[in-house]
Structure formats: structure tokens, C-alpha cells
Amino acid sequence: MEILTNINDGILTINFNRPEKKNAITFGMYEAMANAINAANDDKNVSVILITGKPEIFTAGNDLEDFMKHASSLASAEMPPVYQFMHALNDAQKPVIAAVSGGAVGIGTTLLMHCELVYAADNAKFSMPFTQLGLCPEFASSMVLPQIAGYQRAAEMLLLGEAFNAQQAYEMGLVNKVLPLEELLPYAEKQAAKIAALPAKSIRLTKSLMKANQPQAIRDKMNEENAHFGAMLSQPEAREAMMAFFQKRKPEFKQFN
């Protein structure tokens, strides 16, 4: 099982469980997570959702082989599993907590922007290398990250696509708290338990009021970004970046300027 789910004392835990592939996410894994989050909306046994990975890796982002195999679906009228997951996360009625340790690459960082609480271990490392892959921001990150971090910090993260550490993520507001690795999951579970012990209706309404009209605005921005993202996958820059990745070399983009 590459996605483990468990409900205990009001907490739905979703765990990336593919450590041999650095928790790289396949379309099947996206579908499993989307289904779990959607089911939680109507499950009275779930008050809060906790997303986590392994001590050494949260997720390396998309499994590129699986992603490229299904790339054509990203530009189709159908909603592929990765879109289903991000829409489910955006529309989740219950609070979502993320506990991040190790690398959180690409969508591993993007998804955090749609969580209520994010806790990071001191070994966490974040990156959104979309421009380095000849692509553009995904899933409303071009809108939400400036809201969280401010325009200039967001621009630095999204334009350069360089990795940043847990302390930097905390300083820009992406992370609520940085903890030693061994304390991360117990702390996140304790915070989840606090929420689960509170009146469920109050928690849901509070989240709804804070979100206000943002979910629809995020869906609109997702659609805009994803249209560009899907189109850019077939462009020479993205093909060069993917080929360089598989050939373990540095991509050469000057030929396309």
C-alpha cells in the first residue's frame, strides 16, 4: 500500500508509504488520497486530517515516469487524479495538518499551501522547481504563495525554483513550527487531537469562515495554471528538462531563447 490511511480518535492520517521511490507520487496514489479526503467530509468519525510521510522524506513530488506516461490527460477535459486530489484538498471541510520531514519537492510543497497547519522537522527541505523543468506554478501556488509569504519572497521561490530549509519556510509563514525530527509526528498528532476534542461543528464553521470565497478563487486559479502547465509539458523546454533528468545531466535551455 503506497498510501496508508488510518482513522483513530477523530484523526484521519494519510501517510506516503513509498520510501524506496522517495515517496514519489503516482496517479494511483493521488486517487487514493482524493478518495480518502472526500470520504472524510461526510464521516462523523473524522474531525481532522493529518498528512505525513517518512522521517527521511515527505515526498519527492510526482513520479516523473508515471507522470509523463499520463501527461496527455493533464490537457484533456477529464479531471486526472492529481487534479482530483488537489480539488479535494482545497474543498476539504475538515482542518488539514501536514507533518513534513525530509524533502518536500514540487507538489509536496504546493499542497502545504492548502493545509490549515504545517509542522516541519529541522531536516525538512522544500522546493518548487517548476521553472527549472520548463514549466509554470501549479494548483494556485502563484496566487496563494504571495498571500502567505509576500510577493518578493514568493517571486524568489517560484522564479528561481531553488530549495529552502525549514527555518526559511517558518520565517515566510509557510510553516507554523519547526521541531526536532523525533518530536515532529508526536507534536502534530497532539495538535490534531486538540482539534478532534473540540466541537466538530465549530471547527468546520471556523474553517469555512476563514476560507470565505477563497476556494472558488483557488479553483479558478488552478484551472488557469493547469491549462498553461499542461500545454508547457509538450514544449521543447520541458522535454529537454525531462530528458536531462533521466540522463542525469544539466539541462541546456539557451537553445530555446
Side-chain angles (χ1 to χ4, degrees):
M1 298 291 289
E2 295 175 333
I3 293 294
L4 299 177
T5 60
N6 176 61
I7 298 174
N8 186 43
D9 291 334
I11 304 168
L12 165 63
T13 300
I14 299 175
N15 186 274
F16 293 114
N17 187 45
R18 202 186 180 211
E20 72 283 0
K21 293 291 186 179
K22 296 184 178 180
N23 285 344
I25 312 173
T26 64
F27 270 39
M29 294 165 71
Y30 282 123
E31 186 173 20
M33 291 190 291
N35 290 340
I37 293 171
N38 287 330
N41 287 330
D42 298 318
D43 191 339
K44 293 182 179 180
N45 294 313
V46 175
S47 297
V48 60
I49 300 166
L50 173 62
I51 302 175
T52 187
K54 301 301 177 191
E56 67 280 3
I57 184 74
F58 184 64
T59 172
N62 288 307
D63 181 306
L64 285 183
E65 290 187 16
D66 182 78
F67 187 77
M68 294 311 296
K69 184 170 66 176
H70 296 94
S72 61
S73 71
L74 299 178
S76 71
E78 298 179 2
M79 186 180 288
V82 59
Y83 292 3
Q84 294 173 26
F85 166 64
M86 289 303 297
H87 279 280
L89 187 60
N90 180 49
D91 296 337
Q93 297 173 18
K94 316 290 174 71
V96 181
I97 299 174
V100 184
S101 54
V105 180
I107 198 164
T109 294
T110 301
L111 72 86
L112 304 177
M113 302 174 202
H114 302 276
C115 297
E116 275 61 57
L117 301 173
V118 180
Y119 301 111
D122 50 16
N123 73 336
K125 197 169 186 179
F126 309 84
S127 64
M128 294 169 286
F130 305 118
T131 58
Q132 297 178 7
L133 296 171
L135 300 171
C136 67
E138 60 177 5
F139 298 111
S141 54
S142 66
M143 181 181 82
V144 181
L145 188 58
Q147 293 175 352
I148 294 171
Y151 182 84
Q152 279 77 15
R153 280 186 169 177
E156 187 172 42
M157 299 301 105
L158 291 173
L159 290 174
L160 295 175
E162 295 175 343
F164 53 101
N165 62 31
Q167 184 60 33
Q168 290 170 304
Y170 172 75
E171 290 171 358
M172 71 176 66
L174 181 62
V175 164
N176 292 82
K177 189 177 181 69
V178 180
L179 301 113
L181 176 59
E182 65 274 12
E183 296 178 17
L184 173 67
L185 192 55
Y187 185 86
E189 290 174 337
K190 182 179 74 173
Q191 297 298 90
K194 289 180 183 178
I195 292 175
L198 294 169
K201 186 179 294 185
S202 295
I203 293 296
R204 289 196 305 272
L205 181 57
T206 299
K207 173 173 177 172
S208 176
L209 289 169
M210 286 194 299
K211 288 280 190 179
N213 296 323
Q214 193 173 36
Q216 183 58 53
I218 288 175
R219 281 193 292 273
D220 292 342
K221 180 58 71 171
M222 282 184 180
N223 292 336
E224 180 186 358
E225 286 181 354
N226 294 345
H228 288 296
F229 193 100
M232 294 180 80
L233 279 171
S234 63
Q235 296 301 305
E237 293 88 342
R239 290 200 298 268
E240 164 63 13
M242 299 301 173
M243 187 178 297
F245 174 83
F246 290 118
Q247 294 176 351
K248 298 184 179 356
R249 62 173 174 84
K250 188 175 180 179
E252 179 53 67
F253 295 121
K254 287 185 179 179
Q255 58 185 309
F256 306 117
N257 291 342

Coordinates of all heavy atoms in Angstrom, one line a residue, residues 25 27 30 62-72 74 82 135 229 233 242:
I25 N 4.9 10.4 -6.1 CA 3.5 10.2 -6.2 C 3.1 9.7 -7.5 O 3.3 10.4 -8.5 CB 2.7 11.4 -5.7 CG1 3.3 12.0 -4.4 CG2 1.2 11.1 -5.5 CD1 2.7 13.3 -4.0
F27 N -0.3 8.4 -10.2 CA -1.7 8.8 -10.3 C -2.6 7.9 -9.4 O -3.6 8.4 -8.9 CB -2.1 8.6 -11.8 CG -1.9 9.8 -12.6 CD1 -0.8 10.7 -12.4 CD2 -2.9 10.2 -13.6 CE1 -0.6 11.8 -13.2 CE2 -2.7 11.4 -14.3 CZ -1.6 12.2 -14.1
Y30 N -2.5 9.5 -6.0 CA -3.4 10.7 -5.9 C -4.8 10.3 -5.8 O -5.6 10.9 -5.0 CB -3.2 11.5 -7.2 CG -1.9 12.4 -7.3 CD1 -1.0 12.2 -8.3 CD2 -1.7 13.3 -6.3 CE1 0.1 13.0 -8.4 CE2 -0.6 14.1 -6.3 CZ 0.3 14.0 -7.4 OH 1.5 14.8 -7.4
N62 N 6.0 14.4 -8.0 CA 5.5 13.5 -9.0 C 6.5 12.4 -9.3 O 7.7 12.7 -9.5 CB 5.0 14.2 -10.2 CG 3.8 15.0 -10.1 OD1 2.8 14.5 -9.6 ND2 3.9 16.3 -10.4
D63 N 6.0 11.2 -9.5 CA 6.8 10.1 -10.1 C 6.9 10.5 -11.6 O 5.9 10.4 -12.3 CB 6.2 8.8 -9.9 CG 7.0 7.6 -10.5 OD1 7.3 7.7 -11.7 OD2 7.2 6.7 -9.8
L64 N 8.1 10.9 -12.1 CA 8.1 11.5 -13.4 C 7.8 10.5 -14.5 O 7.2 10.8 -15.5 CB 9.5 12.1 -13.6 CG 9.8 13.5 -12.9 CD1 11.1 14.0 -13.3 CD2 8.7 14.5 -13.3
E65 N 8.2 9.2 -14.3 CA 7.9 8.2 -15.3 C 6.4 8.1 -15.4 O 5.8 8.0 -16.5 CB 8.6 6.9 -15.0 CG 10.1 6.9 -15.2 CD 10.7 5.5 -15.0 OE1 9.9 4.5 -15.1 OE2 11.9 5.5 -14.9
D66 N 5.7 7.9 -14.3 CA 4.3 7.8 -14.3 C 3.6 9.0 -14.8 O 2.6 9.0 -15.5 CB 3.8 7.4 -12.8 CG 2.3 7.2 -12.7 OD1 1.9 6.1 -13.1 OD2 1.6 8.1 -12.3
F67 N 4.1 10.2 -14.3 CA 3.6 11.5 -14.7 C 3.6 11.7 -16.2 O 2.6 12.1 -16.8 CB 4.3 12.6 -14.0 CG 3.7 14.0 -14.2 CD1 2.6 14.3 -13.5 CD2 4.3 14.9 -15.0 CE1 2.1 15.6 -13.6 CE2 3.8 16.1 -15.2 CZ 2.7 16.5 -14.5
M68 N 4.8 11.4 -16.8 CA 4.9 11.6 -18.3 C 4.0 10.6 -19.1 O 3.5 10.9 -20.1 CB 6.3 11.5 -18.7 CG 7.2 12.7 -18.1 SD 6.5 14.3 -18.4 CE 6.5 14.5 -20.2
K69 N 3.9 9.4 -18.5 CA 3.0 8.4 -19.1 C 1.6 8.9 -19.2 O 0.8 8.6 -20.2 CB 3.1 7.1 -18.4 CG 2.3 6.0 -19.0 CD 2.6 4.6 -18.3 CE 2.1 4.6 -16.9 NZ 2.3 3.3 -16.2
H70 N 1.1 9.7 -18.3 CA -0.2 10.2 -18.2 C -0.3 11.7 -18.6 O -1.4 12.3 -18.4 CB -0.8 10.0 -16.8 CG -1.0 8.6 -16.4 ND1 0.0 7.9 -15.7 CD2 -2.0 7.7 -16.6 CE1 -0.4 6.7 -15.5 NE2 -1.6 6.5 -16.0
A71 N 0.8 12.3 -19.1 CA 0.8 13.7 -19.3 C -0.3 14.2 -20.2 O -0.8 15.3 -20.0 CB 2.2 14.1 -19.9
S72 N -0.7 13.4 -21.2 CA -1.7 13.9 -22.1 C -3.0 14.1 -21.4 O -3.8 15.0 -21.9 CB -1.9 12.9 -23.3 OG -2.3 11.6 -22.8
L74 N -3.5 15.6 -18.7 CA -3.5 16.9 -18.0 C -4.1 18.0 -18.9 O -4.6 19.0 -18.3 CB -2.1 17.3 -17.6 CG -1.4 16.3 -16.6 CD1 0.0 16.8 -16.3 CD2 -2.2 16.1 -15.3
V82 N -4.4 13.7 -10.1 CA -3.7 14.7 -9.4 C -4.6 16.0 -9.2 O -4.6 16.6 -8.2 CB -2.4 15.1 -10.2 CG1 -2.7 15.6 -11.6 CG2 -1.6 16.2 -9.4
L135 N 8.4 24.6 -16.8 CA 7.0 24.6 -16.5 C 6.7 25.9 -15.8 O 7.5 26.8 -15.7 CB 6.6 23.3 -15.7 CG 6.9 22.0 -16.4 CD1 6.7 20.8 -15.4 CD2 6.0 21.8 -17.6
F229 N 0.2 24.8 -17.6 CA 1.1 23.7 -17.2 C 1.0 22.5 -18.2 O 2.0 22.0 -18.7 CB 0.7 23.2 -15.8 CG 1.7 22.3 -15.1 CD1 2.6 22.8 -14.2 CD2 1.8 20.9 -15.4 CE1 3.5 22.0 -13.6 CE2 2.7 20.1 -14.8 CZ 3.6 20.7 -13.9
L233 N 4.0 21.1 -21.0 CA 4.6 19.8 -20.9 C 5.0 19.3 -22.3 O 6.0 18.5 -22.4 CB 3.6 18.8 -20.3 CG 3.5 18.8 -18.8 CD1 2.3 17.9 -18.4 CD2 4.8 18.2 -18.2
M242 N 13.1 17.1 -18.9 CA 12.8 15.7 -18.5 C 13.9 14.8 -19.1 O 14.4 13.8 -18.4 CB 11.5 15.3 -19.1 CG 10.3 16.1 -18.6 SD 10.1 16.0 -16.8 CE 8.8 17.2 -16.6

